[in-house]
Amino acid sequence: MGAPVSELLIAGGTVVTADRMEPADVLIRDGRIADVGQDLTTEGEVLDATGHWVMPGGIDTHTHLAHPIDRLGITTADDFFTGTVAGACGGVTTIIDFSLQRRGETLALARDRRLGEIAPDAVIDYGFHTIVTDVRDDVIAEVPELIEGGFPSFKVYMTYGDKIVNDDGLLRLLEATGANGGLVYAHCENDCAVTYLINQHLSDGKTGPAYHAPSRPPVVEAEATHRAIMLAGVVDAPLCIAHVTSSGAAGHVAAARERGEPVVAETCPQYLVLDETVYDPCGGFEVAKFVCSPPMRAAEHRDALWSALADGSIQQVSSDHAPFRYHDQKTTGRDNFTRIPNGLPGIETRLPLVFAGGVSTGLISPQRFVELASTNPARIFGMYPRKGTLDAGADADVIVVDPEAETEIDAARLHSAVDYSPFQGMRVSGFPTWTLSRGEVIVDRGEPVAERGRGRLAERGRIDPAALP
Ligand code: URP
Ligand code: ZN
Ligand code: ZN
Protein backbone atom coordinates (compact mmCIF):
# COMPACT_ATOMS: atom_id res chain seq x y z
CA MET A 1 0.00 0.00 0.00
CA GLY A 2 1.03 3.63 -0.28
CA ALA A 3 0.35 4.62 -3.92
CA PRO A 4 -2.86 6.51 -4.71
CA VAL A 5 -5.68 4.28 -5.94
CA SER A 6 -8.79 5.43 -7.71
CA GLU A 7 -11.08 3.33 -5.54
CA LEU A 8 -10.60 1.94 -2.04
CA LEU A 9 -13.14 0.36 0.30
CA ILE A 10 -12.61 0.50 4.05
CA ALA A 11 -14.73 -2.47 5.01
CA GLY A 12 -16.06 -3.98 8.21
CA GLY A 13 -15.30 -1.18 10.65
CA THR A 14 -17.38 1.05 12.89
CA VAL A 15 -17.77 4.53 11.45
CA VAL A 16 -17.56 7.29 14.04
CA THR A 17 -18.30 10.89 13.09
CA ALA A 18 -19.46 13.91 15.09
CA ASP A 19 -23.07 12.80 14.77
CA ARG A 20 -23.11 8.98 14.49
CA MET A 21 -21.42 5.74 15.42
CA GLU A 22 -22.47 2.65 13.49
CA PRO A 23 -21.06 -0.36 11.64
CA ALA A 24 -20.48 0.82 8.06
CA ASP A 25 -18.13 0.62 5.10
CA VAL A 26 -16.51 3.69 3.58
CA LEU A 27 -16.02 3.87 -0.18
CA ILE A 28 -13.35 6.24 -1.43
CA ARG A 29 -13.11 7.29 -5.04
CA ASP A 30 -10.48 9.62 -6.48
CA GLY A 31 -9.47 10.91 -3.08
CA ARG A 32 -12.96 11.81 -1.88
CA ILE A 33 -15.58 10.00 0.17
CA ALA A 34 -17.99 8.43 -2.35
CA ASP A 35 -20.34 6.55 -0.02
CA VAL A 36 -20.76 5.37 3.57
CA GLY A 37 -23.10 2.47 4.20
CA GLN A 38 -23.63 -1.23 4.74
CA ASP A 39 -22.28 -3.96 2.42
CA LEU A 40 -20.60 -1.65 -0.09
CA THR A 41 -18.54 -3.27 -2.84
CA THR A 42 -15.64 -2.22 -5.04
CA GLU A 43 -13.52 -3.39 -7.96
CA GLY A 44 -10.60 -1.59 -6.31
CA GLU A 45 -8.61 -2.29 -3.16
CA VAL A 46 -10.15 -3.30 0.15
CA LEU A 47 -8.78 -2.35 3.56
CA ASP A 48 -10.11 -4.71 6.25
CA ALA A 49 -11.10 -2.54 9.23
CA THR A 50 -12.67 -5.30 11.30
CA GLY A 51 -12.42 -4.39 14.99
CA HIS A 52 -11.48 -0.79 14.15
CA TRP A 53 -13.13 2.60 14.35
CA VAL A 54 -13.11 4.60 11.11
CA MET A 55 -13.07 8.35 11.77
CA PRO A 56 -12.32 11.65 10.02
CA GLY A 57 -8.60 12.43 10.20
CA GLY A 58 -7.48 14.71 12.98
CA ILE A 59 -7.12 18.42 12.28
CA ASP A 60 -4.50 20.19 14.38
CA THR A 61 -4.97 23.94 14.09
CA HIS A 62 -2.13 24.92 16.39
CA THR A 63 1.34 23.76 15.37
CA HIS A 64 4.67 25.56 15.26
CA LEU A 65 6.81 23.72 12.70
CA ALA A 66 10.07 25.31 11.56
CA HIS A 67 8.98 28.21 13.73
CA PRO A 68 11.63 30.86 14.43
CA ILE A 69 11.95 32.30 17.93
CA ASP A 70 13.87 35.40 16.88
CA ARG A 71 14.48 36.56 20.46
CA LEU A 72 16.54 33.42 21.18
CA GLY A 73 17.89 32.68 17.69
CA ILE A 74 16.24 29.24 17.85
CA THR A 75 13.87 27.42 15.50
CA THR A 76 11.50 24.65 16.61
CA ALA A 77 13.04 21.20 16.18
CA ASP A 78 10.57 19.85 13.62
CA ASP A 79 10.55 21.00 10.03
CA PHE A 80 7.50 20.48 7.84
CA PHE A 81 8.64 16.96 6.94
CA THR A 82 9.39 15.52 10.39
CA GLY A 83 6.49 17.40 11.95
CA THR A 84 3.88 16.28 9.45
CA VAL A 85 5.16 12.68 9.45
CA ALA A 86 4.80 12.72 13.25
CA GLY A 87 1.33 14.19 12.84
CA ALA A 88 0.27 11.53 10.35
CA CYS A 89 1.50 8.78 12.71
CA GLY A 90 -0.68 10.33 15.39
CA GLY A 91 -3.74 10.48 13.12
CA VAL A 92 -3.45 14.08 11.91
CA THR A 93 -4.36 14.67 8.27
CA THR A 94 -4.43 18.49 8.24
CA ILE A 95 -2.49 21.12 10.16
CA ILE A 96 -2.92 24.84 10.40
CA ASP A 97 0.48 26.26 11.27
CA PHE A 98 1.56 29.92 11.35
CA SER A 99 3.22 32.47 9.14
CA LEU A 100 5.05 35.20 11.05
CA GLN A 101 4.80 38.85 10.08
CA ARG A 102 7.93 40.44 11.50
CA ARG A 103 7.66 44.11 12.33
CA GLY A 104 8.00 46.27 9.22
CA GLU A 105 6.84 43.45 6.94
CA THR A 106 3.58 43.01 5.07
CA LEU A 107 1.21 40.10 5.69
CA ALA A 108 1.59 39.04 2.06
CA LEU A 109 5.36 38.72 2.45
CA ALA A 110 4.89 36.52 5.53
CA ARG A 111 2.35 34.38 3.65
CA ASP A 112 4.52 33.89 0.58
CA ARG A 113 7.64 33.08 2.61
CA ARG A 114 5.73 30.44 4.55
CA LEU A 115 4.15 28.86 1.47
CA GLY A 116 7.65 28.37 0.08
CA GLU A 117 8.80 26.70 3.29
CA ILE A 118 5.87 24.30 3.66
CA ALA A 119 5.21 23.08 0.13
CA PRO A 120 8.36 20.99 -0.48
CA ASP A 121 8.12 19.11 2.82
CA ALA A 122 4.57 18.57 4.11
CA VAL A 123 3.14 15.05 3.84
CA ILE A 124 -0.35 16.10 4.94
CA ASP A 125 -2.56 19.01 3.97
CA TYR A 126 -1.88 22.36 5.55
CA GLY A 127 -2.89 25.94 6.01
CA PHE A 128 -1.64 28.66 8.28
CA HIS A 129 -2.81 31.50 10.44
CA THR A 130 -1.05 34.81 9.92
CA ILE A 131 0.70 35.99 13.09
CA VAL A 132 0.24 39.76 13.06
CA THR A 133 2.85 41.67 15.06
CA ASP A 134 2.68 45.10 13.45
CA VAL A 135 -0.81 46.55 13.05
CA ARG A 136 -0.33 49.43 10.60
CA ASP A 137 -2.91 51.06 8.29
CA ASP A 138 -1.46 49.26 5.26
CA VAL A 139 -1.54 45.95 7.19
CA ILE A 140 -5.21 46.42 8.09
CA ALA A 141 -5.83 47.14 4.40
CA GLU A 142 -4.32 43.74 3.50
CA VAL A 143 -6.77 41.78 5.67
CA PRO A 144 -9.58 41.39 3.07
CA GLU A 145 -7.10 40.11 0.45
CA LEU A 146 -5.65 37.53 2.84
CA ILE A 147 -9.14 36.29 3.74
CA GLU A 148 -10.24 36.20 0.10
CA GLY A 149 -7.10 34.18 -0.74
CA GLY A 150 -7.92 31.44 1.77
CA PHE A 151 -6.12 32.73 4.87
CA PRO A 152 -9.03 33.81 7.08
CA SER A 153 -7.44 33.49 10.54
CA PHE A 154 -5.03 35.89 12.24
CA LYS A 155 -3.04 35.09 15.37
CA VAL A 156 -2.38 37.76 17.95
CA TYR A 157 -0.10 37.50 20.97
CA MET A 158 -1.18 39.63 23.94
CA THR A 159 2.27 38.97 25.44
CA TYR A 160 5.85 38.21 24.18
CA GLY A 161 7.89 41.40 23.60
CA ASP A 162 8.81 40.93 19.94
CA LYS A 163 5.32 39.80 18.92
CA ILE A 164 2.93 41.57 21.29
CA VAL A 165 -0.03 43.47 19.88
CA ASN A 166 -1.56 46.07 22.21
CA ASP A 167 -5.28 46.63 22.78
CA ASP A 168 -5.47 49.26 20.06
CA GLY A 169 -3.95 46.87 17.50
CA LEU A 170 -6.12 43.99 18.66
CA LEU A 171 -9.28 46.07 18.38
CA ARG A 172 -8.41 47.26 14.88
CA LEU A 173 -7.63 43.74 13.76
CA LEU A 174 -10.85 42.40 15.28
CA GLU A 175 -12.80 45.06 13.42
CA ALA A 176 -11.12 44.31 10.08
CA THR A 177 -11.45 40.54 10.40
CA GLY A 178 -15.02 40.65 11.68
CA ALA A 179 -16.12 42.86 8.79
CA ASN A 180 -14.57 40.60 6.16
CA GLY A 181 -15.24 37.00 7.20
CA GLY A 182 -12.06 36.47 9.18
CA LEU A 183 -11.27 35.44 12.74
CA VAL A 184 -8.76 36.51 15.37
CA TYR A 185 -7.07 33.67 17.28
CA ALA A 186 -5.61 35.09 20.48
CA HIS A 187 -2.88 34.03 22.90
CA CYS A 188 -4.20 35.62 26.08
CA GLU A 189 -1.87 36.57 28.94
CA ASN A 190 -1.57 39.97 30.62
CA ASP A 191 1.87 41.14 29.56
CA CYS A 192 2.33 43.77 32.30
CA ALA A 193 1.59 41.25 35.04
CA VAL A 194 3.84 38.59 33.48
CA THR A 195 6.70 41.08 33.13
CA TYR A 196 6.23 42.26 36.72
CA LEU A 197 6.22 38.72 38.10
CA ILE A 198 9.21 37.63 36.02
CA ASN A 199 11.22 40.61 37.26
CA GLN A 200 10.24 39.87 40.85
CA HIS A 201 11.40 36.27 40.59
CA LEU A 202 14.67 37.17 38.87
CA SER A 203 15.50 39.89 41.37
CA ASP A 204 14.93 37.38 44.19
CA GLY A 205 17.47 35.08 42.50
CA LYS A 206 14.74 32.64 41.44
CA THR A 207 16.14 31.84 38.02
CA GLY A 208 15.40 28.11 37.66
CA PRO A 209 12.73 26.63 35.36
CA ALA A 210 10.33 25.98 38.26
CA TYR A 211 9.74 29.75 38.46
CA HIS A 212 8.26 29.90 34.98
CA ALA A 213 4.80 28.81 36.22
CA PRO A 214 4.40 31.23 39.14
CA SER A 215 5.37 34.05 36.75
CA ARG A 216 2.26 33.28 34.67
CA PRO A 217 -0.53 32.41 37.15
CA PRO A 218 -4.12 31.70 36.08
CA VAL A 219 -5.24 35.26 36.80
CA VAL A 220 -3.01 36.71 34.04
CA GLU A 221 -4.64 34.36 31.57
CA ALA A 222 -8.17 35.03 32.83
CA GLU A 223 -7.71 38.82 32.66
CA ALA A 224 -6.42 38.82 29.08
CA THR A 225 -9.06 36.32 27.96
CA HIS A 226 -11.79 38.54 29.40
CA ARG A 227 -10.26 41.63 27.77
CA ALA A 228 -10.00 39.98 24.35
CA ILE A 229 -13.63 38.86 24.59
CA MET A 230 -14.75 42.37 25.62
CA LEU A 231 -12.84 43.98 22.74
CA ALA A 232 -14.34 41.50 20.27
CA GLY A 233 -17.76 42.48 21.65
CA VAL A 234 -17.05 46.18 21.01
CA VAL A 235 -16.79 45.53 17.26
CA ASP A 236 -19.02 42.45 17.17
CA ALA A 237 -16.27 40.21 15.79
CA PRO A 238 -15.76 36.46 16.18
CA LEU A 239 -12.85 35.34 18.32
CA CYS A 240 -11.04 32.09 19.07
CA ILE A 241 -9.14 31.83 22.36
CA ALA A 242 -5.95 29.75 22.02
CA HIS A 243 -4.87 27.15 24.59
CA VAL A 244 -7.26 27.73 27.51
CA THR A 245 -5.63 26.29 30.64
CA SER A 246 -7.65 27.52 33.59
CA SER A 247 -11.16 27.56 35.00
CA GLY A 248 -11.19 31.39 35.07
CA ALA A 249 -10.46 31.72 31.34
CA ALA A 250 -12.85 28.87 30.52
CA GLY A 251 -15.53 30.63 32.57
CA HIS A 252 -15.13 33.86 30.56
CA VAL A 253 -15.52 31.88 27.34
CA ALA A 254 -18.63 30.11 28.66
CA ALA A 255 -20.17 33.39 29.81
CA ALA A 256 -19.58 35.02 26.40
CA ARG A 257 -21.19 32.07 24.67
CA GLU A 258 -24.17 32.25 27.02
CA ARG A 259 -24.58 35.89 25.97
CA GLY A 260 -24.68 34.65 22.36
CA GLU A 261 -21.29 36.07 21.36
CA PRO A 262 -19.31 34.31 18.60
CA VAL A 263 -16.48 33.15 20.88
CA VAL A 264 -14.87 29.73 20.60
CA ALA A 265 -11.89 28.21 22.40
CA GLU A 266 -9.37 25.42 22.36
CA THR A 267 -7.43 23.59 24.99
CA CYS A 268 -4.49 21.20 24.56
CA PRO A 269 -3.66 17.71 25.89
CA GLN A 270 -0.91 18.97 28.19
CA TYR A 271 -3.51 20.91 30.18
CA LEU A 272 -5.78 17.86 30.29
CA VAL A 273 -3.34 15.18 31.42
CA LEU A 274 -0.58 17.07 33.27
CA ASP A 275 -0.73 19.50 36.17
CA GLU A 276 1.49 21.97 38.01
CA THR A 277 3.40 19.21 39.83
CA VAL A 278 5.63 19.00 36.73
CA TYR A 279 7.23 22.24 37.98
CA ASP A 280 8.54 20.73 41.22
CA PRO A 281 11.90 22.50 41.87
CA CYS A 282 13.31 19.10 42.96
CA GLY A 283 13.18 18.20 39.26
CA GLY A 284 16.19 20.47 38.63
CA PHE A 285 16.69 21.68 35.08
CA GLU A 286 14.61 18.76 33.68
CA VAL A 287 11.60 20.92 34.61
CA ALA A 288 12.49 22.91 31.46
CA LYS A 289 10.91 20.08 29.46
CA PHE A 290 7.54 21.38 30.66
CA VAL A 291 8.11 25.09 30.13
CA CYS A 292 5.30 26.33 27.92
CA SER A 293 2.96 29.29 28.03
CA PRO A 294 0.51 29.35 29.57
CA PRO A 295 1.91 26.75 31.99
CA MET A 296 0.19 23.68 33.42
CA ARG A 297 -2.14 24.39 36.34
CA ALA A 298 -3.39 22.87 39.59
CA ALA A 299 -5.43 19.70 39.17
CA GLU A 300 -8.80 21.43 39.68
CA HIS A 301 -8.22 23.46 36.49
CA ARG A 302 -7.53 20.24 34.59
CA ASP A 303 -10.84 18.82 35.80
CA ALA A 304 -12.64 22.03 34.82
CA LEU A 305 -11.23 21.76 31.29
CA TRP A 306 -12.54 18.20 30.88
CA SER A 307 -15.96 19.43 32.03
CA ALA A 308 -15.80 22.30 29.53
CA LEU A 309 -15.02 19.84 26.73
CA ALA A 310 -17.91 17.62 27.78
CA ASP A 311 -20.47 20.43 28.21
CA GLY A 312 -19.54 22.18 24.96
CA SER A 313 -18.06 25.39 26.35
CA ILE A 314 -14.63 24.53 24.84
CA GLN A 315 -14.92 23.37 21.25
CA GLN A 316 -11.60 21.95 20.14
CA VAL A 317 -8.36 20.33 21.28
CA SER A 318 -5.17 21.28 19.43
CA SER A 319 -1.61 20.33 20.28
CA ASP A 320 0.26 23.69 20.33
CA HIS A 321 3.13 21.52 19.09
CA ALA A 322 6.20 23.71 19.70
CA PRO A 323 9.07 21.21 20.02
CA PHE A 324 12.47 22.18 21.36
CA ARG A 325 15.20 19.63 22.00
CA TYR A 326 16.04 19.29 25.66
CA HIS A 327 19.78 18.73 25.29
CA ASP A 328 20.69 21.79 23.22
CA GLN A 329 17.62 24.06 22.89
CA LYS A 330 15.83 24.11 26.24
CA THR A 331 19.31 24.53 27.79
CA THR A 332 19.53 28.07 26.39
CA GLY A 333 17.74 29.04 29.59
CA ARG A 334 19.90 27.09 32.01
CA ASP A 335 20.74 30.22 34.03
CA ASN A 336 17.53 32.16 33.44
CA PHE A 337 14.11 30.59 32.96
CA THR A 338 12.98 33.44 30.67
CA ARG A 339 15.48 32.19 28.08
CA ILE A 340 14.04 28.68 27.94
CA PRO A 341 12.17 28.41 24.63
CA ASN A 342 8.47 28.05 25.42
CA GLY A 343 6.66 25.03 24.08
CA LEU A 344 6.15 21.27 24.13
CA PRO A 345 6.06 18.57 21.46
CA GLY A 346 2.61 17.00 21.04
CA ILE A 347 1.41 16.68 17.46
CA GLU A 348 1.74 12.88 17.46
CA THR A 349 0.29 12.23 20.91
CA ARG A 350 -2.71 14.61 20.81
CA LEU A 351 -5.34 12.17 19.59
CA PRO A 352 -4.18 9.22 21.73
CA LEU A 353 -4.05 11.36 24.89
CA VAL A 354 -7.57 12.72 24.35
CA PHE A 355 -8.81 9.29 23.31
CA ALA A 356 -7.35 7.62 26.39
CA GLY A 357 -8.17 10.43 28.82
CA GLY A 358 -11.61 11.17 27.42
CA VAL A 359 -13.15 8.32 25.46
CA SER A 360 -11.65 5.33 27.27
CA THR A 361 -12.60 6.84 30.64
CA GLY A 362 -16.13 7.76 29.49
CA LEU A 363 -15.67 11.52 30.09
CA ILE A 364 -16.58 12.23 26.46
CA SER A 365 -18.34 10.15 23.83
CA PRO A 366 -16.57 8.85 20.72
CA GLN A 367 -18.63 11.30 18.65
CA ARG A 368 -17.56 14.22 20.83
CA PHE A 369 -13.94 13.09 20.42
CA VAL A 370 -14.32 13.38 16.63
CA GLU A 371 -15.98 16.75 17.03
CA LEU A 372 -13.17 18.11 19.22
CA ALA A 373 -10.31 16.69 17.17
CA SER A 374 -11.58 17.15 13.63
CA THR A 375 -15.07 18.47 12.90
CA ASN A 376 -15.01 21.59 15.04
CA PRO A 377 -11.48 22.62 13.97
CA ALA A 378 -12.71 22.36 10.36
CA ARG A 379 -15.82 24.41 11.19
CA ILE A 380 -13.98 27.10 13.14
CA PHE A 381 -11.24 27.64 10.57
CA GLY A 382 -13.19 27.55 7.31
CA MET A 383 -12.56 23.99 6.04
CA TYR A 384 -15.92 22.33 6.68
CA PRO A 385 -17.42 20.24 5.01
CA ARG A 386 -14.46 19.56 2.71
CA LYS A 387 -12.62 18.36 5.82
CA GLY A 388 -13.70 17.18 9.27
CA THR A 389 -16.41 14.74 8.14
CA LEU A 390 -16.90 11.48 6.26
CA ASP A 391 -19.88 12.72 4.27
CA ALA A 392 -19.91 12.04 0.53
CA GLY A 393 -17.82 14.65 -1.27
CA ALA A 394 -15.44 15.32 1.62
CA ASP A 395 -11.71 14.73 1.22
CA ALA A 396 -11.01 11.10 2.15
CA ASP A 397 -8.90 12.04 5.17
CA VAL A 398 -9.53 9.04 7.40
CA ILE A 399 -8.03 7.33 10.41
CA VAL A 400 -8.59 3.68 11.25
CA VAL A 401 -8.08 3.03 14.94
CA ASP A 402 -8.20 -0.10 17.07
CA PRO A 403 -9.84 1.29 20.23
CA GLU A 404 -8.51 -1.60 22.32
CA ALA A 405 -4.85 -1.37 21.29
CA GLU A 406 -2.87 0.13 24.16
CA THR A 407 0.61 1.61 23.79
CA GLU A 408 3.05 3.26 26.16
CA ILE A 409 4.25 6.65 24.94
CA ASP A 410 7.99 6.54 24.37
CA ALA A 411 9.85 9.44 22.75
CA ALA A 412 12.24 6.98 21.11
CA ARG A 413 9.38 5.53 19.06
CA LEU A 414 7.76 8.85 18.12
CA HIS A 415 8.62 10.57 14.84
CA SER A 416 9.22 14.15 15.93
CA ALA A 417 12.83 15.42 15.73
CA VAL A 418 12.89 16.13 19.43
CA ASP A 419 14.61 14.16 22.17
CA TYR A 420 11.86 13.76 24.77
CA SER A 421 8.12 13.58 25.28
CA PRO A 422 6.37 15.34 28.15
CA PHE A 423 4.03 12.35 28.16
CA GLN A 424 6.74 9.68 28.44
CA GLY A 425 5.46 6.43 29.94
CA MET A 426 1.75 7.26 29.75
CA ARG A 427 -0.42 4.38 28.58
CA VAL A 428 -2.80 5.38 25.79
CA SER A 429 -4.97 3.97 23.08
CA GLY A 430 -6.08 5.70 19.90
CA PHE A 431 -2.93 5.63 17.73
CA PRO A 432 -4.12 4.93 14.18
CA THR A 433 -3.34 1.64 12.50
CA TRP A 434 -3.88 3.37 9.17
CA THR A 435 -3.99 7.06 8.26
CA LEU A 436 -5.31 8.07 4.85
CA SER A 437 -4.94 11.49 3.27
CA ARG A 438 -7.17 12.21 0.27
CA GLY A 439 -7.60 8.44 -0.13
CA GLU A 440 -3.90 7.60 -0.03
CA VAL A 441 -2.57 5.42 2.78
CA ILE A 442 0.17 7.52 4.38
CA VAL A 443 0.55 5.46 7.58
CA ASP A 444 0.35 1.69 7.13
CA ARG A 445 0.08 -0.39 10.30
CA GLY A 446 1.70 2.40 12.25
CA GLU A 447 4.56 3.00 9.78
CA PRO A 448 4.80 6.26 7.80
CA VAL A 449 4.84 5.66 4.03
CA ALA A 450 4.04 9.13 2.68
CA GLU A 451 6.09 10.85 0.03
CA ARG A 452 7.71 14.11 1.11
CA GLY A 453 5.90 17.15 -0.30
CA ARG A 454 2.64 15.35 -1.16
CA GLY A 455 0.63 17.63 1.18
CA ARG A 456 -1.44 20.39 -0.36
CA LEU A 457 -2.69 23.77 0.74
CA ALA A 458 -6.14 23.12 2.24
CA GLU A 459 -8.87 25.32 0.83
CA ARG A 460 -10.32 27.62 3.46
CA GLY A 461 -13.30 29.91 3.08
CA ARG A 462 -14.68 32.86 5.00
CA ILE A 463 -15.69 32.27 8.61
CA ASP A 464 -19.38 32.75 9.33
CA PRO A 465 -19.78 33.70 13.01
CA ALA A 466 -23.28 32.21 13.00
CA ALA A 467 -21.90 28.82 11.92
CA LEU A 468 -19.26 28.54 14.66
CA PRO A 469 -19.74 25.45 16.86
O1 URP B 1 4.66 27.81 25.06
C1 URP B 1 4.12 27.82 23.98
N1 URP B 1 2.84 27.57 23.86
N2 URP B 1 4.84 28.10 22.88
C2 URP B 1 4.38 28.22 21.57
C3 URP B 1 4.06 29.60 21.21
C4 URP B 1 2.71 29.96 21.72
O2 URP B 1 2.63 30.52 22.79
O3 URP B 1 1.71 29.69 21.08
ZN1 ZN C 1 0.28 30.73 22.49
ZN1 ZN D 1 1.27 28.14 20.09
Side-chain angles (χ1 to χ4, degrees), residues 62-64 98 155 157 187 243 293 320-322:
H62 193 155
T63 65
H64 299 271
F98 298 94
K155 174 80 178 282
Y157 285 94
H187 173 128
H243 45 46
S293 294
D320 195 7
H321 179 75

Short mmCIF file of all heavy atoms in Angstrom, two decimals, residues 62-64 98 155 157 187 243 293 320-322, ligand 3:
data_model
loop_
_atom_site.label_atom_id
_atom_site.label_comp_id
_atom_site.label_asym_id
_atom_site.label_seq_id
_atom_site.Cartn_x
_atom_site.Cartn_y
_atom_site.Cartn_z
N HIS A 62 -3.08 24.13 15.60
CA HIS A 62 -2.13 24.92 16.39
C HIS A 62 -0.79 24.18 16.44
O HIS A 62 -0.52 23.44 17.38
CB HIS A 62 -2.69 25.16 17.79
CG HIS A 62 -1.96 26.20 18.58
ND1 HIS A 62 -2.55 26.91 19.60
CD2 HIS A 62 -0.68 26.67 18.50
CE1 HIS A 62 -1.66 27.74 20.12
NE2 HIS A 62 -0.51 27.61 19.47
N THR A 63 0.01 24.36 15.39
CA THR A 63 1.34 23.76 15.37
C THR A 63 2.37 24.84 15.04
O THR A 63 2.05 25.83 14.36
CB THR A 63 1.44 22.63 14.32
OG1 THR A 63 1.30 23.19 13.00
CG2 THR A 63 0.37 21.57 14.54
N HIS A 64 3.57 24.63 15.54
CA HIS A 64 4.67 25.56 15.26
C HIS A 64 5.81 24.75 14.66
O HIS A 64 6.75 24.35 15.37
CB HIS A 64 5.14 26.23 16.55
CG HIS A 64 4.11 27.06 17.26
ND1 HIS A 64 3.90 28.39 17.01
CD2 HIS A 64 3.23 26.74 18.25
CE1 HIS A 64 2.94 28.87 17.80
NE2 HIS A 64 2.51 27.87 18.56
N PHE A 98 1.54 28.46 11.28
CA PHE A 98 1.56 29.92 11.35
C PHE A 98 2.57 30.51 10.37
O PHE A 98 3.65 29.94 10.19
CB PHE A 98 1.99 30.39 12.76
CG PHE A 98 1.05 29.95 13.85
CD1 PHE A 98 1.29 28.78 14.56
CD2 PHE A 98 -0.07 30.70 14.15
CE1 PHE A 98 0.41 28.37 15.56
CE2 PHE A 98 -0.95 30.30 15.15
CZ PHE A 98 -0.70 29.14 15.85
N LYS A 155 -3.45 35.35 13.99
CA LYS A 155 -3.04 35.09 15.37
C LYS A 155 -2.48 36.37 15.98
O LYS A 155 -1.69 37.09 15.37
CB LYS A 155 -1.95 34.00 15.37
CG LYS A 155 -1.31 33.70 16.72
CD LYS A 155 -2.17 32.79 17.57
CE LYS A 155 -1.53 32.44 18.90
NZ LYS A 155 -0.50 31.41 18.82
N TYR A 157 -0.68 37.76 19.65
CA TYR A 157 -0.10 37.50 20.97
C TYR A 157 -0.33 38.73 21.84
O TYR A 157 0.09 39.83 21.50
CB TYR A 157 1.41 37.25 20.86
CG TYR A 157 1.76 35.89 20.30
CD1 TYR A 157 1.99 35.72 18.94
CD2 TYR A 157 1.86 34.78 21.12
CE1 TYR A 157 2.31 34.48 18.42
CE2 TYR A 157 2.18 33.53 20.61
CZ TYR A 157 2.41 33.39 19.27
OH TYR A 157 2.72 32.16 18.76
N HIS A 187 -3.64 34.54 21.74
CA HIS A 187 -2.88 34.03 22.90
C HIS A 187 -3.07 35.06 23.99
O HIS A 187 -2.60 36.19 23.88
CB HIS A 187 -1.40 33.87 22.53
CG HIS A 187 -0.53 33.51 23.69
ND1 HIS A 187 0.34 32.44 23.66
CD2 HIS A 187 -0.37 34.08 24.92
CE1 HIS A 187 0.99 32.36 24.82
NE2 HIS A 187 0.58 33.35 25.60
N HIS A 243 -5.35 27.91 23.42
CA HIS A 243 -4.87 27.15 24.59
C HIS A 243 -5.39 27.63 25.96
O HIS A 243 -4.63 28.14 26.78
CB HIS A 243 -3.34 27.05 24.62
CG HIS A 243 -2.57 28.31 24.33
ND1 HIS A 243 -2.87 29.53 24.88
CD2 HIS A 243 -1.49 28.51 23.53
CE1 HIS A 243 -2.00 30.42 24.45
NE2 HIS A 243 -1.16 29.83 23.62
N SER A 293 3.82 28.20 27.58
CA SER A 293 2.96 29.29 28.03
C SER A 293 1.62 29.22 27.33
O SER A 293 1.58 29.14 26.11
CB SER A 293 3.61 30.64 27.73
OG SER A 293 4.77 30.78 28.50
N ASP A 320 -0.75 22.65 20.09
CA ASP A 320 0.26 23.69 20.33
C ASP A 320 1.65 23.07 20.29
O ASP A 320 2.51 23.33 21.14
CB ASP A 320 0.02 24.43 21.65
CG ASP A 320 0.83 25.72 21.73
OD1 ASP A 320 1.47 26.10 20.73
OD2 ASP A 320 0.83 26.34 22.80
N HIS A 321 1.84 22.21 19.26
CA HIS A 321 3.13 21.52 19.09
C HIS A 321 4.23 22.56 18.83
O HIS A 321 4.28 23.18 17.76
CB HIS A 321 3.00 20.57 17.90
CG HIS A 321 4.22 19.79 17.56
ND1 HIS A 321 4.66 18.71 18.30
CD2 HIS A 321 5.11 19.91 16.54
CE1 HIS A 321 5.74 18.20 17.75
NE2 HIS A 321 6.05 18.91 16.68
N ALA A 322 5.09 22.76 19.82
CA ALA A 322 6.20 23.71 19.70
C ALA A 322 7.42 22.99 20.29
O ALA A 322 7.77 23.19 21.46
CB ALA A 322 5.89 25.00 20.44
ZN ZN B 3 1.27 28.14 20.09
#
